[in-house]
């Protein structure tokens, strides 16, 4: 199992595995017809794993599977390779919701209300740490910016009276991050001595970087892209 990843509906979750068709259906909040899904157990001598697939994806291997309590047990090594190529990581909560919508038993208790809810973010899920909640894109890692830019993004507006500065923070010789701030905010936080050339400010001093990010406001990165496009910034 890989470490936790971010689900836009449920926040950070340790992912599980499901087939590509199932993930595509999850992404559209769809559902499958009764009996169209099958739980597959990959039975290796020292380690077994379970994943949900469609019967169409199981295909010809359905005939050689051994069924116990409606679970298709696969033992053939060639079948492992073929079938597991169709698996991808998926949020376990999203999978459980799909299973309930499709009339199957979820891994964890999941109500029908929760399963059929179409809210961008699931009820009761709150942002933590660097994660913020966007009304359009759900749970996302916040992108630091200035309060004025954050306000313009919230209004769906631009800042015609502000000069937008691309700030490049350097954490090592091989790693850089890029953020956008308005010039007035940069001077307010870092003083007038910072160098800005061609609307670009490069920060290598860790003290400056920390001071800026400590007072920055997190915004949705997708909404930030839209703001920059509205503002005529070439990306």
């Amino acid at each position: 199992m890989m470490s936790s990843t971010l689900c836009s509906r449920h926040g950070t979750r340790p992912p599980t595995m499901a087939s590509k068709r199932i993930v595509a259906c999850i992404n559209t909040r769809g559902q499958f017809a009764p009996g169209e899904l099958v739980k597959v157990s990959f039975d290796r001598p020292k380690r077994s794993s379970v994943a949900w697939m469609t019967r169409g994806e199981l295909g010809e291997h359905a005939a050689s599977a051994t069924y116990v309590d409606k679970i298709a047990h696969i033992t053939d090594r060639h079948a492992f390779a073929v079938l597991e190529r169709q698996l991808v990581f998926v949020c376990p909560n999203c999978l459980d919701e799909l299973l309930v919508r499709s009339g199957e038993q979820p891994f964890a208790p999941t109500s029908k209300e929760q399963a059929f809810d179409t809210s961008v973010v699931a009820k009761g899920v709150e942002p933590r740490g660097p994660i913020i909640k966007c009304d359009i894109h759900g749970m996302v890692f916040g992108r630091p910016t200035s309060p004025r830019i954050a306000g313009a993004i919230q209004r769906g507006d631009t800042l015609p009276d502000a000069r937008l500065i691309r700030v490049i923070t350097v954490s090592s010789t091989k790693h850089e991050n890029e953020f956008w701030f308005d010039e007035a905010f940069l001077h307010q936080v870092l003083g007038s001595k910072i160098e800005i050339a061609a609307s670009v400010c490069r920060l290598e001093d860790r003290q400056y970087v920390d001071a800026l990010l400590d007072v920055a406001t997190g915004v949705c990165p997708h909404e930030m892209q839209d703001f920059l496009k509205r503002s005529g910034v070439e990306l």
Side-chain angles (χ1 to χ4, degrees), residues 17-21 42 44 53 57 61 77-89:
M17 301 293 288
S19 72
K20 295 176 182 177
R21 289 184 187 174
F42 299 91
R44 290 180 169 85
M53 308 181 73
E57 288 169 312
H61 301 287
R77 290 184 179 181
H78 173 69
F80 291 159
V82 173
L83 296 175
E84 287 182 336
R85 278 199 294 269
Q86 301 181 63
L87 301 180
V88 291
F89 288 111

Side-chain angles (χ1 to χ4, degrees), residues 43-57:
D43 296 342
R44 290 180 169 85
K46 294 184 179 180
R47 176 179 59 85
S48 295
S49 60
V50 175
W52 281 90
M53 308 181 73
T54 65
R55 293 194 180 277
E57 288 169 312

Side-chain angles (χ1 to χ4, degrees), residues 65-220:
T66 301
Y67 290 84
V68 179
D69 295 330
K70 297 182 179 181
I71 300 175
H73 290 262
I74 304 294
T75 57
D76 179 69
R77 290 184 179 181
H78 173 69
F80 291 159
V82 173
L83 296 175
E84 287 182 336
R85 278 199 294 269
Q86 301 181 63
L87 301 180
V88 291
F89 288 111
V90 63
C91 168
N93 298 66
C94 287
L95 177 58
D96 281 342
E97 290 172 356
L98 173 69
L99 292 174
V100 171
R101 291 196 300 273
S102 303
E104 300 289 351
Q105 185 67 33
F107 288 101
T110 303
S111 68
K112 284 191 175 182
E113 179 185 9
Q114 177 182 341
F116 285 93
D117 174 43
T118 57
S119 302
V120 175
V121 176
K123 183 179 180 180
V125 176
E126 296 296 334
R128 296 180 180 180
I131 298 172
I132 64 171
K133 184 191 297 185
C134 172
D135 293 337
I136 299 174
H137 300 95
M139 306 295 280
V140 295
F141 286 107
R143 199 73 178 159
T145 191
S146 57
R148 286 197 68 198
I149 291 178
I153 288 174
Q154 188 174 18
R155 298 189 304 272
D157 203 354
T158 60
L159 292 175
D161 61 335
R163 185 185 179 199
L164 303 181
I165 306 298
R166 182 163 64 100
V167 177
I168 300 173
T169 62
V170 183
S171 57
S172 70
T173 56
K174 295 183 179 181
H175 186 70
E176 298 180 350
N177 286 309
E178 179 180 296
F179 308 107
W180 287 87
F181 293 85
D182 65 84
E183 185 175 19
F185 182 74
L186 287 177
H187 287 310
Q188 175 187 335
V189 176
L190 304 179
S192 59
K193 294 184 179 180
I194 57 171
E195 295 184 6
I196 299 176
S199 297
V200 176
C201 177
R202 188 176 180 87
L203 296 180
E204 299 186 13
D205 189 320
R206 190 70 236 178
Q207 185 175 355
Y208 274 1
V209 174
D210 290 343
L212 181 61
L213 298 184
D214 282 347
V215 295
T217 301
V219 298
C220 171

